[in-house]
Amino acid sequence: MHIAIIGTGYVGLVTGACFAEFGVFVTCVDKDMEKIEKLKKGIIPFYEPGLEDIVKRNLKEKRLKFTTRIDEAVNESLVIFIAVGTPPRGDGSANLDYVEEVAKEIAKNMNSYKVIVTKSTVPVGTGLKIKEIIKKNLEKSVEFDIVSNPEFLREGSAVEDFMRPNRVVIGAESEQAVAIMKDLYRPLYLIETPFVITDIATAELIKYATNSFLATKISFINEISALCEAVGANVNTIAKAMGLDGRIGPKFLHAGIGFGGSCLPKDTMALVKIAEEKGVELRIVKAAIEANQNQRERLTQKIIKAFNDKIEGKIIGILGLSFKPNTDDIRESPALYIIQSLLNKKATLKVYDPQAMENTKRVFPNIIYCSDAYSVAKDADAVVVVTEWNQFRNLDLERIKKLMKGSLFFDFRNIYDPVKVRQSGFSYFSVGRP
């Protein structure tokens, strides 16, 4: 089977490379000539563990190719995935301009039956809209089917998530389209992956509902962390006890500085907007969004208050810039909020992240970028752990203390034992722990 992936961003590139690893012949398309030329050489535009090796291997074995020619990709492919961006508009709704543009291009170049699949996260009703656009722009009568096949890839573990997914969701109108999609995902039957076969609208909503529920769990435990600080309770113990309840489960119950990235913030806002347009108010999702912002503000204020609001000229070290470990993605990262807030108070910022510093330099070109955690600590009045990279989990605390000018240690991911940190001579601040 030949397939085409339109869009070589995070979702498109991971999807294309992993299908090629399954033995499918894949053509990835993008309008960005410079990006395509780099991809042809195996140079990928973002950090994702394991992806570069898969891209290089399948380029060598000629199952994966990259082009700017959407006409060629459409002509030779049975299945065409739309994986372009759907960035949020000012009101929180998803911008479908790129999706609609791609639909028109597909229509103009269709020469035989095709299955057109939305892989991008799109609002309910987008599949129907794509169908209408293609019908309107077809240059000759050609049969086609529309499918919704939402992605559930976590940045930092996307390859594993694609190869061993919790489930595969297929929303389609015809048995033929379902059969073709099942054939495409056939390698996953060997590991007994559950398949959810449904209609297009339901499939489109599944992704938004999933991410909004995960965001709600994060915001809930973060609000509990604030209460824990007020009453002297331990949020880690509470989360553990809650997680042992089979109805709740332990995942996404880790108190911290809140969620970020390209999915949860965007998808929660988009879902609220979708519901508003249909006359439905999603009060819980709205509350999760508000609680997430409140957590960032609350923890940033912890830093400022520790200096008795006299933070001007103080040197603050930030460990972690990406919104989560194992990625270079800084979109909606809590670290950016902290940095901007402290810069507004005229603090001096020293930062380090294993992967995300180049991206951060585009946003904050004038802060101090360091080579490791110990360089960040040198002469700092405070150190703040924002992203729980593995290499930050077992720092030499005595060395950090000797390098620092001050003694304030903020652990906004609860990765350290409070007793151990205080024994090293720090004033220690964490999230929801006495």
Side-chain angles (χ1 to χ4, degrees), residues 58-76:
N58 285 281
L59 279 170
K60 183 179 179 181
E61 296 176 7
K62 300 187 184 307
R63 287 193 299 268
L64 178 64
K65 66 180 180 179
F66 298 96
T67 182
T68 57
R69 295 286 301 273
I70 192 171
D71 54 342
E72 293 179 358
V74 170
N75 283 335
E76 67 186 13

Side-chain angles (χ1 to χ4, degrees), residues 263-317:
C263 291
L264 298 193
K266 177 172 70 76
D267 291 353
T268 49
M269 290 190 296
L271 185 61
V272 167
K273 190 65 180 177
I274 292 166
E276 285 178 351
E277 290 174 352
K278 299 298 182 181
V280 177
E281 184 178 6
L282 298 182
R283 295 180 180 89
I284 292 175
V285 182
K286 282 183 177 180
I289 296 168
E290 182 181 354
N292 191 59
Q293 182 59 30
N294 288 345
Q295 186 76 344
R296 295 183 179 194
E297 294 171 3
R298 187 176 75 83
L299 296 187
T300 302
Q301 283 301 312
K302 269 194 180 188
I303 302 171
I304 296 168
K305 288 178 181 178
F307 288 97
N308 296 316
D309 292 330
K310 297 176 182 177
I311 201 167
E312 182 175 350
K314 299 296 184 181
I315 299 173
I316 313 297

Side-chain angles (χ1 to χ4, degrees), residues 154 210-226 235 239 242 248-261 263-265 268 284-285 287-296 298-299 323-324 334 388 412-413 431:
R154 297 168 298 165
T210 300
N211 278 354
S212 295
F213 184 73
L214 296 177
T216 300
K217 286 188 78 173
I218 294 169
S219 285
F220 177 83
I221 201 64
N222 282 340
E223 289 209 314
I224 293 297
S225 76
V235 73
M242 289 175 62
I248 298 171
K251 293 185 178 180
F252 286 79
L253 283 179
H254 302 285
I257 196 166
F259 57 80
C263 291
L264 298 193
T268 49
I284 292 175
V285 182
I289 296 168
E290 182 181 354
N292 191 59
Q293 182 59 30
N294 288 345
Q295 186 76 344
R296 295 183 179 194
R298 187 176 75 83
L299 296 187
F323 83 95
K324 63 181 285 189
E388 66 275 33
F412 288 161
R413 295 296 182 179
V431 183

Side-chain angles (χ1 to χ4, degrees), residues 30 74 92 134 229 250 259 319:
D30 202 289
V74 170
I134 291 176
E229 290 174 19
F259 57 80
L319 297 180

Side-chain angles (χ1 to χ4, degrees), residues 297-370:
E297 294 171 3
R298 187 176 75 83
L299 296 187
T300 302
Q301 283 301 312
K302 269 194 180 188
I303 302 171
I304 296 168
K305 288 178 181 178
F307 288 97
N308 296 316
D309 292 330
K310 297 176 182 177
I311 201 167
E312 182 175 350
K314 299 296 184 181
I315 299 173
I316 313 297
I318 304 292
L319 297 180
L321 300 168
S322 57
F323 83 95
K324 63 181 285 189
N326 298 319
T327 181
D328 59 359
D329 193 345
I330 61 169
R331 286 174 289 183
E332 299 294 329
S333 172
L336 303 193
Y337 178 85
I338 292 175
I339 290 169
Q340 187 60 65
S341 298
L342 297 181
L343 287 175
N344 291 344
K345 294 285 186 178
K346 299 183 178 178
T348 298
L349 275 298
K350 298 177 69 179
V351 305
Y352 171 69
D353 185 284
Q355 294 293 336
M357 293 208 290
E358 289 304 313
N359 287 339
T360 309
K361 285 176 184 177
R362 300 188 188 105
V363 183
F364 298 110
N366 297 320
I367 61 177
I368 301 168
Y369 291 87
C370 300

Side-chain angles (χ1 to χ4, degrees), residues 41 80 114 119 196 207 412:
K41 299 173 184 175
I80 303 161
K114 308 289 180 186
K119 200 68 174 172
V196 178
K207 174 63 183 292
F412 288 161

